[in-house]
Amino acid sequence: MLRSSRLAVAVLAALVVPAAVSAQTPAAGEARTLNTVTVTGSNIRRAEAEGSNPVQVIDAEELATSGKVTVADVLRSISANTGNATNETSNSGWASGSAGIGLRGLSQKNTLVLLNGRRLANYGFPAGGLSDTFVNLNALPLVAVERIEVLKDGASAVYGSDAVAGVVNIITRQNFQGLEVGGSYGTSDEGGLDTRRARLVGGIGDLDTDGYNLLVSVEAYDRDRLDQNQRDLTASGIYSDLPGGRWNGWSAKGARFLVGGASVPLLDAAGNCPEGMTLTPSAPIDGLTGDTCAINLAPYTTLIPSTERYQAFVNGTVRLSDNVDLFGEALVSQIRGASIFGSSPYFTLEGGRFALNAQTGLAEPVSNLLPADSPYNPYGVPTQIEYTFFDLGQSLKTNRSDAFRILGGARGRGERFDWEFTGFFAKSTEEETVAGGFANRWPLAQSLADGSLNLHAPGATPSAVLDAIRLSTVREAQSSLHGFDFKFNGDLFQLPAGPVGFAAGIEARTESLTSRNPWQIDAGLQVRPAIAAVDGERDVAALYAEFNVPIVQGLDLQLAGRGDDYSDFGSAFSPKAGLRWQALDTLLVRASASRGFRAPSLSENSASTNISYGTVVDPYDPDIAGSRQSPTFFTVGNIELDPERTKSYNVGFVVSPRADTSISLDWYRIELDNLIGTNNSTTIVQNNDPSDVIRDSRGKLVAVYNRYQNLTALKTSGLDAELNQTFRTTAGDFSIASVYTHVLDYSRPQVVGGPLVDYAGSNLGPSLPRNKLTSRFGWSIGDVETALTWYRTGGYDQKASVAATAVQSRVDAYDQLDLYAGWSGIDGLTLYAKVDNILDEEPPHDASFPGIRTPYDFSQYDLRGRYFQVGFDYRF
């Protein structure tokens, strides 16, 4: 494979060099104006907007009337985003405060996000601890965006290995003149989550007449936090009236002993629980017999974090001559977010917890036995306790993210070829601070032994004792990207059916990712450490070329090839072929096939370590079989991973019987071999192999061990349909824009070497609905513009566990309607109002309780509820 890849690169080089020489020697004084465009998925400029690849375009009008105020909100609503991507409601995860996109249900590491056709640095904290490196959509300002193009086809041959599932290209305004200001305010009718947004866009100079253009945009966005006790659905934490529901929002581990498999509350002499806890039977919460001092965690669980974002974007171009421009861009983003840390708002001492051994670097168990001579131990022998320490402070997590990208270059227009050279540098720096809620294992053990921690009346514990135990931590990470690219495009020669279009280029970049543990973890002090240590760097070089060959009138053959060389694993060649057939004036038929690869991410392909905490369904739980348990998950990287090999296919057509009508239907299929991943945690626990599944003496799940490795394969296919229709009448213009995705199959193994299992339309892994639809119905007349947008997410089969399936066969579909109304009766001024979720629909109930103590899938939905926005835009 390496030898053939080098040959492919050599062939590409032979094509690039002579054409580059030709491109840089235009006839003196001969400028030409191109009335062509470059569409995402190709570097060849063409007159036709529709090529051999399906591209969804979200234009400025749709962005303005959608009700979405962030790039992440816009992209997460598109139909091709069927699941398996990070969003802000995953506030307990590794990438808190960030948002990504994973087209086709594949991981977000398989979707490439570009800004004006070029890469950005990944977020410093990979999602899932180690697995998913991605671009943080929250770091991209919506204010300067002209349109978003979504290529829903594999594009490794054009852009590189991480474009397996598709490409999102965010395109900013070009040659803008004027000054725009705007602002908006939003609030929910259930309270909380208030948002404030202000923006400014200014542009001076016309590139054609003045020889320069400078655009500056600034955006500020502020949103309050939403906690679980602010919504009626989740405030009580009690879901006994729902299928599969118990007191899922409560913790039975407030203060109790575990004696012979029964729960015994830890009470003072007067028979009272510690302050803030409630004496209640344990069975409705975790199935144990006996009573416990329990806690309703709703007031201490964040559904959506607060955030402050300040972002600026600058784009400038100077025309040096009729044929040469200099250009540059700068993007700066500063984000601050806060949330109560996921599933452990206060430190809880319980079984199955670990700390690092500072000498060996290996995890070792931390005992939750209360010593026999403790004044709070009535049994006279070491006894298991589970105790939540309110007096150590709340785990308030604050995430700070600073990102920037600068680039500069030159572009020219020659007699036959246009060319462009760019150098770029981008960085994303993260800092996560958790104030309180962590414990130093050694003072904790000492204070439990000598009784200086008052377990009956926490407020009576001396402050010196608490100060010695209490820990706050800072986790840091940094991701960087720098390099250059040179590309050109034009016509090679003339055929009877038309000119042969050609584009080629060379790229070189260096990527690095470093994520450090807080020092308290490495020193072996912190109980229950969350570890995602990554230290990786790679150099990537690539050559690529594209051809557009007109076979006969109306039939074009498009060929592309790319050779990539990675310093940390080797080389690969990615070819692609496409056909574009204008069968009739009203009918376009298109097809494409490509082969690509995905290099292991820096976090997967390094000597990285991950210790995390989450939930998994345990069919062997000794208390409630089939319930969700919270063990410690151990996952490690693998420096011997092979790259994923991919094949992508697309066949479709576009019908345009008139200028205001367009209907398209496309079939896609993606096949991945050498799939990089881990064994499915649910399956590991079901197999119950003692080498992977660790249990205590009662059979209670303590830990699950896993490792990144090459599995067998993943295959997914589906259909995309799109309708755009405008009716122009005396009563105004009416429009319909609808995009629908149906997933035919999504098959992957559950375990290494296992058979392929279809996940589509189920929650066997992450929930993957088969159907997703976005439809916009617009009406404009005079100074008034309105839009009603319908978002539909299909239901899915309940397969998360036997216990959940026994009480629920299917999770319902979800429909949301958003309404926009704008008035522009004053010159330059637009006033608007938006109502999101006008019917106040709640997320559908999922009996497997995949959320953080919530009865719905928080990766698909949130509890924003009905939401109102008012705002204005003014152009001077």
Side-chain angles (χ1 to χ4, degrees):
M1 181 64 193
L2 181 59
R3 186 173 300 172
S4 62
S5 298
R6 287 175 175 168
L7 177 60
V9 172
V11 171
L12 284 171
L15 291 170
V16 168
V17 174
V21 174
S22 174
Q24 297 181 53
T25 56
E30 288 191 15
R32 67 187 173 97
T33 302
L34 290 173
N35 57 353
T36 55
V37 295
T38 301
V39 178
T40 300
S42 174
N43 288 299
I44 298 176
R45 297 179 67 85
R46 55 172 58 90
E48 304 90 356
E50 294 283 359
S52 61
N53 304 309
V55 178
Q56 178 182 350
V57 180
I58 306 170
D59 61 20
E61 181 183 3
E62 186 174 351
L63 291 173
T65 61
S66 67
K68 310 301 183 184
V69 295
T70 68
V71 172
D73 288 342
V74 170
L75 290 175
R76 290 188 61 80
S77 67
I78 66 174
S79 65
N81 182 49
T82 53
N84 210 9
T86 295
N87 66 70
E88 291 179 273
T89 59
S90 308
N91 66 79
S92 65
W94 294 102
S96 294
S98 64
I101 182 170
L103 299 175
R104 306 304 190 197
L106 299 178
S107 161
Q108 50 208 3
K109 64 192 173 188
N110 296 113
T111 299
L112 178 61
V113 176
L114 304 173
L115 178 64
N116 290 328
R118 287 186 169 86
R119 293 171 176 265
L120 301 116
N122 284 323
Y123 193 59
F125 294 139
L130 298 176
S131 58
D132 289 3
T133 50
F134 66 99
V135 170
N136 180 17
L137 300 178
N138 287 338
L140 304 178
L142 188 62
V143 60
V145 175
E146 178 180 281
R147 68 185 185 278
I148 300 175
E149 296 183 349
V150 182
L151 171 67
K152 298 181 285 188
D153 186 29
S156 293
V158 177
Y159 296 110
S161 70
D162 38 5
V164 169
V167 179
V168 173
N169 190 9
I170 299 165
I171 300 170
T172 59
R173 303 186 192 192
Q174 305 295 317
N175 204 30
F176 173 78
Q177 298 99 40
L179 178 64
E180 292 183 1
V181 296
S184 65
Y185 174 78
T187 188
S188 166
D189 68 351
E190 289 189 70
L193 214 63
D194 289 1
T195 61
R196 295 151 289 271
R197 179 177 179 244
R199 70 181 190 91
L200 180 149
V201 184
I204 58 172
D206 182 275
L207 189 59
D208 294 323
T209 60
D210 300 321
Y212 74 94
N213 177 258
L214 177 67
L215 177 144
V216 177
S217 70
V218 180
E219 184 174 17
Y221 176 76
D222 177 67
R223 184 188 64 216
D224 295 342
R225 197 177 78 204
L226 180 67
D227 291 338
Q228 198 163 303
N229 63 333
Q230 294 177 275
R231 289 294 179 262
D232 291 341
L233 176 65
T234 54
S236 70
I238 299 173
Y239 308 108
S240 305
D241 58 327
L242 298 174
R246 308 185 311 277
W247 290 31
N248 302 73
W250 285 64
S251 171
K253 300 175 182 180
R256 69 179 180 183
F257 297 100
L258 297 178
V259 181
S263 174
V264 180
L266 198 160
L267 307 173
D268 63 16
N272 298 317
C273 288
E275 186 177 355
M277 304 180 192
T278 303
L279 183 63
T280 185
S282 184
I285 304 175
D286 62 2
L288 289 182
T289 58
D291 295 334
T292 187
C293 295
I295 309 168
N296 179 8
L297 293 173
Y300 318 117
T301 302
T302 294
L303 293 175
I304 301 177
S306 65
T307 187
E308 291 183 18
R309 302 176 195 163
Y310 302 96
Q311 295 160 328
F313 177 76
V314 179
N315 182 6
T317 306
V318 176
R319 180 147 291 170
L320 294 184
S321 68
D322 289 342
N323 297 322
V324 179
D325 297 341
L326 296 181
F327 64 91
E329 291 181 11
L331 169 68
V332 179
S333 173
Q334 184 182 83
I335 304 173
R336 306 290 182 270
S339 62
I340 303 173
F341 189 31
S343 58
S344 298
Y346 295 91
F347 172 71
T348 299
L349 181 64
E350 57 187 309
R353 295 311 178 210
F354 297 81
L356 284 192
N357 183 305
Q359 281 69 47
T360 66
L362 301 176
E364 58 187 18
V366 174
S367 173
N368 69 323
L369 293 176
L370 189 63
D373 54 356
S374 167
Y376 304 102
N377 186 344
Y379 298 102
V381 294
T383 305
Q384 275 193 316
I385 65 165
E386 292 182 334
Y387 192 96
T388 297
F389 294 88
F390 279 32
D391 45 3
L392 293 181
Q394 191 177 78
S395 298
L396 184 65
K397 180 196 290 188
T398 303
N399 283 88
R400 170 175 176 163
S401 177
D402 297 308
F404 72 89
R405 189 190 74 171
I406 56 175
L407 65 83
R411 63 173 65 97
R413 294 162 294 279
E415 181 181 2
R416 294 179 56 197
F417 291 96
D418 296 342
W419 57 268
E420 187 168 299
F421 175 83
T422 307
F424 54 88
F425 180 64
K427 180 181 288 188
S428 181
T429 302
E430 277 63 59
E431 182 180 274
E432 180 179 278
T433 302
V434 181
F438 291 147
N440 187 323
R441 63 189 294 202
W442 307 118
L444 175 64
Q446 179 61 40
S447 61
L448 288 174
D450 60 23
S452 55
L453 256 176
N454 194 319
L455 301 184
H456 290 156
T461 299
S463 58
V465 174
L466 295 177
D467 291 342
I469 300 171
R470 185 184 295 117
L471 286 180
S472 62
T473 63
V474 178
R475 183 167 68 107
E476 297 178 333
Q478 181 175 283
S479 173
S480 68
L481 172 73
H482 66 270
F484 73 89
D485 63 66
F486 173 74
K487 59 184 178 181
F488 60 93
N489 71 88
D491 295 337
L492 282 179
F493 50 84
Q494 191 78 18
L495 291 177
V500 175
F502 176 68
I506 182 171
E507 296 179 8
R509 67 181 188 271
T510 298
E511 307 170 351
S512 68
L513 176 62
T514 303
S515 177
R516 304 293 189 194
N517 296 325
W519 69 267
Q520 296 94 334
I521 291 178
D522 291 333
L525 305 182
Q526 184 180 321
V527 180
R528 196 179 184 264
I531 296 174
V534 182
D535 193 352
E537 182 175 297
R538 64 164 51 126
D539 296 320
V540 184
L543 285 168
Y544 60 87
E546 294 180 67
F547 300 86
N548 185 73
V549 183
I551 307 300
V552 295
Q553 189 67 35
L555 178 62
D556 293 347
L557 171 65
Q558 295 163 3
L559 301 173
R562 181 185 179 99
D564 287 272
D565 183 78
Y566 283 71
S567 61
D568 56 349
F569 87 89
S571 303
F573 178 65
S574 302
K576 183 169 185 174
L579 282 173
R580 182 188 185 277
W581 180 31
Q582 191 74 51
L584 301 169
D585 289 342
T586 59
L587 174 63
L588 168 70
V589 180
R590 60 191 175 196
S592 65
S594 63
R595 193 180 70 200
F597 75 105
R598 188 188 71 83
S601 66
L602 288 173
S603 51
E604 294 167 333
N605 197 42
S606 61
S608 50
T609 303
N610 176 228
I611 298 178
S612 62
Y613 306 90
T615 64
V616 65
V617 173
D618 183 9
Y620 307 107
D621 184 74
D623 304 312
I624 302 179
S627 61
R628 284 193 173 269
Q629 298 300 312
S630 303
T632 301
F633 294 90
F634 293 85
T635 311
V636 296
N638 185 350
I639 61 175
E640 298 181 353
L641 290 172
D642 291 325
E644 296 175 346
R645 303 292 177 179
T646 66
K647 296 177 182 178
S648 299
Y649 308 94
N650 187 87
V651 178
F653 64 86
V654 182
V655 177
S656 298
R658 56 183 63 89
D660 289 335
T661 304
S662 175
I663 302 170
S664 67
L665 179 66
D666 289 274
W667 170 84
Y668 71 87
R669 182 170 180 82
I670 303 173
E671 300 177 357
L672 283 77
D673 291 322
N674 293 333
L675 176 68
I676 296 173
T678 59
N679 275 342
N680 181 276
S681 295
T682 301
T683 304
I684 292 175
V685 174
Q686 287 174 348
N687 291 340
N688 210 26
D689 186 333
S691 62
D692 299 325
V693 179
I694 310 302
R695 299 182 180 275
D696 65 15
S697 58
R698 293 184 51 243
K700 202 74 174 177
L701 185 62
V702 172
V704 178
Y705 284 84
N706 222 325
R707 177 182 179 84
Y708 286 101
Q709 51 198 302
N710 289 107
L711 308 179
T712 49
L714 185 152
K715 299 179 180 179
T716 182
S717 63
L719 299 171
D720 287 325
E722 186 168 352
L723 166 67
N724 289 280
Q725 173 69 62
T726 300
F727 301 96
R728 306 183 191 278
T729 72
T730 56
D733 292 344
F734 297 85
S735 63
I736 302 172
S738 185
V739 186
Y740 167 70
T741 296
H742 175 74
V743 181
L744 294 170
D745 72 293
Y746 188 97
S747 301
R748 58 162 294 166
Q750 292 182 285
V751 296
V752 176
L756 298 186
V757 177
D758 191 3
Y759 282 55
S762 78
N763 59 354
L764 189 60
S767 61
L768 292 172
R770 285 191 186 274
N771 302 302
K772 195 167 183 180
L773 169 74
T774 300
S775 292
R776 177 185 176 275
F777 306 90
W779 173 54
S780 62
I781 181 170
D783 298 326
V784 177
E785 182 173 16
T786 64
L788 179 68
T789 306
W790 172 30
Y791 300 101
R792 179 175 178 83
T793 302
Y796 50 89
D797 293 337
Q798 178 61 264
K799 293 185 178 181
S801 70
V802 174
T805 303
V807 296
Q808 181 186 40
S809 61
R810 187 168 176 81
V811 177
D812 291 338
Y814 175 78
D815 295 284
Q816 178 173 317
L817 295 175
D818 295 353
L819 180 64
Y820 167 91
W823 176 75
S824 54
I826 299 176
D827 187 33
L829 177 66
T830 299
L831 301 176
Y832 61 85
K834 305 176 183 180
V835 184
D836 296 343
N837 195 6
I838 58 179
L839 299 180
D840 199 21
E841 293 289 327
E842 287 186 345
H845 171 68
D846 187 328
S848 70
F849 282 81
I852 304 173
R853 302 189 174 89
T854 59
Y856 62 89
D857 186 347
F858 61 89
S859 70
Q860 293 279 356
Y861 313 104
D862 59 48
L863 268 183
R864 223 171 279 243
R866 185 184 293 116
Y867 200 83
F868 302 93
Q869 296 180 61
V870 292
F872 76 96
D873 291 315
Y874 185 74
R875 180 162 186 172
F876 294 89

